[in-house]
Amino acid sequence: MTTDVLEIRDVGKSFGAVTALREVNLTVRKGEIIALLGDNGAGKSTLMNIICGSNPPDRGAVMVDGQRLDSVDAAQRLGVGVVYQDLALAPHLDLAENMFLGNEITTGPFKMLDRARMRREAEEAIQGLGISTLKDVRLPVGRLSGGQRQVLAVARAIKWASQLILLDEPTAALGPKQVDIVLDSIRTAAAQGLGVILVSHDIPNVLKLADRIVILRHGTIVADRSPEGMTVSDVMTVMVGDDA
Amino acid sequence: MTTTLAREETQAPSMPTGLHQLKKILSIRAVQIILVEIVVIAFFFAMSPEGAFLNAANVRGMLLTASQVLLLAIGQAILMSAGKIDISQGAVLILASVASGQVMVALQGSMSPAATLIVGLAVALLIGAVLGAAIGILVGVVGINSLVATLGMLSIATGVAQVATGGVNIFGMPGELSDWFGSVRFGAIPLPVILSLAVIGVIWAVYRLTPWGTHTLATGSNALAARRVGIKTVRNTIGIFIVSSTLAGLAGYIDLARYSTTNISGHLNDSMAAIAAALIGGTALTGGRISFLGAIVGALLAILLQSGLVIINLSPFYQTIAVGAMLLIAVSLDNANRERPGSS
Ligand SMILES: Nc1ncnc2c1ncn2[C@@H]1O[C@H](COP(=O)(O)OP(=O)(O)O)[C@@H](O)[C@H]1O
Ligand SMILES: [Mg+2]
């Protein structure tokens, strides 16, 4: 019985002449929070797209729970939840509808929506994360603040993920109080046993949150270590390397 | 626990709840239109000679027109909820009625009347469905803007109908088409109206009660988000165009049943009227919102104005002006006072 939720083996990816990723190996354990760092163009987005199945690698493999992850459908099936930077929410639909979008609960031979149950479960999912900022699950998402939307997107990813969640810049453009709420919900997800990979430029908060930091440079992993004892400038130095 | 800040904010604390409730109801677009319609009906009733506006024949005529226009308006509202539009509905209606009419004229005598009528209906619906699928593929798969795709279809379907008929309307429908369907009434209500309302009822139920409607609204609200959560947006797009065009095909069949002939130059403004009805009723062109009731009462408003102006001996051209003004007022109110999105 392994405690690994994700195994990336020797992954490589090129775009024409540009090698975006080369010989990337990474293992994520249950409940572990990994921060993926790197300068612009280092390959973070490419790696995230590979892990969420939207852009398969040229070489190597991504394995979740012993099975190969090679498409968005496979990622969903294998329990990988994604919080996209644009959040992927429908502003006209309410919280509960967004929480269950594409995964609606239906009953009976006519596949009728069970709205009452979806609302109840959406409330439970939000309360389970200790989030007090989202009270009315019937409120259209367009009425929420940026922070509330971010929290909702995280809550949705956690609800549907059973192995791993990926977050792309989850705290960009948020106020300090909202950042705390989002970071707390990520901690709660990890405490529930999910692996977490996040891309963030907020290095001070990342150093507090992450169990491991993984630094990409020119498409290869140049550091994979505990944040213990690292300062922001240590991280920056590794990120930019000799280019600085 | 489910009361929220944002909801309470809209509720002035000093206002008695009864008054607040009333204000809330009056803020619903469909209710506003119904109130306008009551005034319009009273006005034309009072102004028409011997109240002819509300005599059985005129009411029946308005209802029959409604049985067609409502189908188009509902199709349009569904497309608009997904951020799409269809300006080819009228042309699809004409082509469906031409094909259906030609088939029924050819078949009558060689088949039982009932079978002829059913085949005719199937042809009308099938033409609608096939053309709708073609538009849906152009929009969803090829990625052509729906206005452009249906502009092309408008031209093609109109042209094919004219080529097929040589520009001359088809006469000689089986008499049963009118006797058994077009002229049948239950009390004051013509059978085509009942059929139309039943079809709309089923579509409403499927839209509101199954994931289809939510997925359609999500596609209109944020197409990328819809794709990312795994909604088959291409399939949804093709599906809603099939629904809209099949409704146009049904309206074409009702046209044949009503007049026992085609009307190949009579429906070119139908799409615009249907779009206006949906917009007046509070459905937004930008997607994410729909009001079925609004589209229905919006369509009725245009019909009431058209018929009333004729009856009081004013040029029906004023109707065109009135509908245009209503449309602009409705959309202006909409922008000034955004209601809860996605509500009906
Ligand atoms: N779709 C693409 N087509 C061509 N080159 C790409 C594409 N996506 C990324 N790249 C290149 O791959 C490298 C890594 O990019 P990316 O993964 O976006 O880095 P990061 O997210 O760390 O800034 C860059 O050199 C970038 O220009
Ligand atoms: Mg990037």
Side-chain angles (χ1 to χ4, degrees):
Chain A
M1 180 65 208
T2 168
T3 56
D4 292 348
V5 288
L6 176 79
E7 192 186 350
I8 297 174
R9 283 189 214 142
D10 193 28
V11 154
K13 177 85 186 175
S14 302
F15 297 100
V18 180
T19 304
L21 291 175
R22 189 184 315 132
E23 291 165 33
V24 170
N25 288 282
L26 182 65
T27 305
V28 181
R29 284 185 287 276
K30 263 170 90 74
E32 193 175 34
I33 303 177
I34 308 274
L36 189 60
L37 307 176
D39 206 358
N40 277 336
K44 304 181 295 292
S45 297
T46 306
L47 186 56
M48 292 294 259
N49 286 335
I50 288 171
I51 302 171
C52 75
S54 68
N55 202 350
D58 301 336
R59 271 181 313 284
V62 177
M63 309 294 288
V64 171
D65 209 16
Q67 293 182 63
R68 202 183 182 100
L69 187 160
D70 51 9
S71 67
V72 175
D73 285 347
Q76 278 194 358
R77 184 167 37 80
L78 295 174
V80 176
V82 187
V83 181
Y84 293 95
Q85 191 163 9
D86 63 59
L87 302 185
L89 298 170
H92 297 81
L93 300 182
D94 69 28
L95 265 77
E97 286 168 330
N98 270 284
M99 181 80 92
F100 282 88
L101 198 54
N103 289 301
E104 288 83 2
I105 301 177
T106 57
T107 57
F110 295 110
K111 297 223 180 298
M112 307 249 277
L113 292 171
D114 191 342
R115 291 186 193 271
R117 192 170 145 207
M118 289 192 280
R119 283 177 192 139
R120 199 170 59 240
E121 288 194 14
E123 273 169 14
E124 286 165 7
I126 289 165
Q127 282 166 6
L129 289 175
I131 299 166
S132 58
T133 174
L134 302 174
K135 289 219 177 63
D136 183 1
V137 296
R138 300 179 68 163
L139 206 62
V141 163
R143 293 253 190 98
L144 302 181
S145 70
Q148 289 174 318
R149 285 181 217 202
Q150 184 74 51
V151 172
L152 172 63
V154 172
R156 178 173 68 182
I158 292 171
K159 169 149 182 68
W160 297 110
S162 55
Q163 301 282 343
L164 179 76
I165 57 171
L166 306 174
L167 305 104
D168 193 1
E169 291 287 357
T171 58
L174 294 186
K177 222 175 126 192
Q178 295 174 323
V179 167
D180 284 344
I181 296 171
V182 171
L183 296 184
D184 277 345
S185 61
I186 293 171
R187 282 193 192 95
T188 311
Q192 290 171 0
L194 291 174
V196 176
I197 302 181
L198 76 151
V199 168
S200 176
H201 285 106
D202 182 359
I203 296 170
N205 269 315
V206 156
L207 288 176
K208 279 186 272 169
L209 178 72
D211 300 310
R212 266 164 66 201
I213 55 170
V214 172
I215 302 178
L216 279 172
R217 192 164 74 214
H218 301 323
T220 50
I221 294 178
V222 291
D224 180 346
R225 52 160 293 178
S226 154
E228 198 99 16
M230 279 191 103
T231 64
V232 173
S233 64
D234 293 341
V235 174
M236 298 291 278
T237 308
V238 182
M239 270 169 58
V240 296
D242 306 329
D243 303 358
Chain B
M1 182 194 66
T2 48
T3 44
T4 67
L5 259 180
R7 283 223 171 137
E8 279 156 17
E9 273 164 16
T10 61
Q11 189 170 339
S14 63
M15 214 187 300
T17 47
L19 204 62
H20 171 252
Q21 213 66 10
L22 183 69
K23 229 187 133 176
K24 209 168 155 187
I25 290 171
L26 289 178
S27 75
I28 298 170
R29 172 59 54 77
V31 173
Q32 296 166 346
I33 300 171
I34 290 170
L35 293 178
V36 171
E37 287 174 344
I38 291 170
V39 174
V40 167
I41 291 170
F43 174 79
F44 286 128
F45 180 64
M47 296 295 286
S48 55
E50 293 159 44
F53 183 67
L54 287 184
N55 73 22
N58 198 51
V59 169
R60 205 182 315 130
M62 287 193 285
L63 286 175
L64 277 168
T65 303
S67 71
Q68 300 175 266
V69 177
L70 292 187
L71 294 174
L72 303 184
I74 292 300
Q76 210 67 249
I78 290 171
L79 289 174
M80 283 161 56
S81 74
K84 312 286 192 298
I85 197 166
D86 181 0
I87 60 169
S88 69
Q89 279 182 321
V92 171
L93 185 163
I94 293 168
L95 184 55
S97 71
V98 163
S100 171
Q102 286 181 332
V103 167
M104 285 193 283
V105 169
L107 286 180
Q108 64 179 326
S110 67
M111 261 188 186
S112 74
T116 308
L117 299 195
I118 288 169
V119 173
L121 175 62
V123 168
L125 298 181
L126 194 69
I127 293 278
V130 169
L131 297 184
I135 300 168
I137 288 167
L138 289 169
V139 173
V141 180
V142 184
I144 301 177
N145 175 285
S146 62
L147 181 67
V148 177
T150 57
L151 179 63
M153 183 55 77
L154 165 68
S155 197
I156 292 170
T158 309
V160 171
Q162 278 162 345
V163 169
T165 57
V168 182
N169 278 307
I170 304 167
F171 292 90
M173 294 306 135
E176 291 82 1
L177 181 59
S178 169
D179 296 344
W180 293 357
F181 178 51
S183 316
V184 177
R185 277 181 260 150
F186 294 91
I189 317 283
L191 179 56
V193 178
I194 294 169
L195 174 68
S196 206
L197 290 178
V199 168
I200 290 169
V202 169
I203 291 174
W204 174 86
V206 176
Y207 195 99
R208 280 291 172 219
L209 305 179
T210 77
W212 177 55
T214 310
H215 292 178
T216 305
L217 286 168
T219 306
S221 183
N222 185 348
L224 178 60
R227 273 199 300 281
R228 283 185 163 166
V229 298
I231 292 172
K232 307 272 181 272
T233 54
V234 171
R235 200 190 297 171
N236 182 276
T237 299
I238 296 172
I240 57 178
F241 276 105
I242 290 176
V243 167
S244 166
S245 295
T246 305
L247 290 175
L250 178 58
Y253 187 74
I254 293 175
D255 212 48
L256 283 177
R258 195 177 162 191
Y259 299 109
S260 290
T261 173
T262 55
N263 186 357
I264 52 179
S265 54
H267 293 282
L268 291 173
N269 286 326
D270 283 15
S271 312
M272 295 305 159
I275 293 165
L279 283 171
I280 289 173
T283 300
L285 208 51
T286 43
R289 269 205 303 177
I290 190 165
S291 170
F292 281 84
L293 185 59
I296 290 171
V297 295
L300 291 178
L301 182 58
I303 295 168
L304 290 169
L305 288 170
Q306 168 99 42
S307 169
L309 290 167
V310 172
I311 273 199
I312 65 170
N313 249 328
L314 268 175
S315 160
F317 298 143
Y318 286 108
Q319 182 253 9
T320 321
I321 299 172
V323 168
M326 296 279 182
L327 171 65
L328 296 178
I329 293 169
V331 175
S332 304
L333 288 176
D334 230 36
N335 280 341
N337 174 29
R338 290 212 175 280
E339 289 177 77
R340 178 194 185 277
S343 72
S344 120

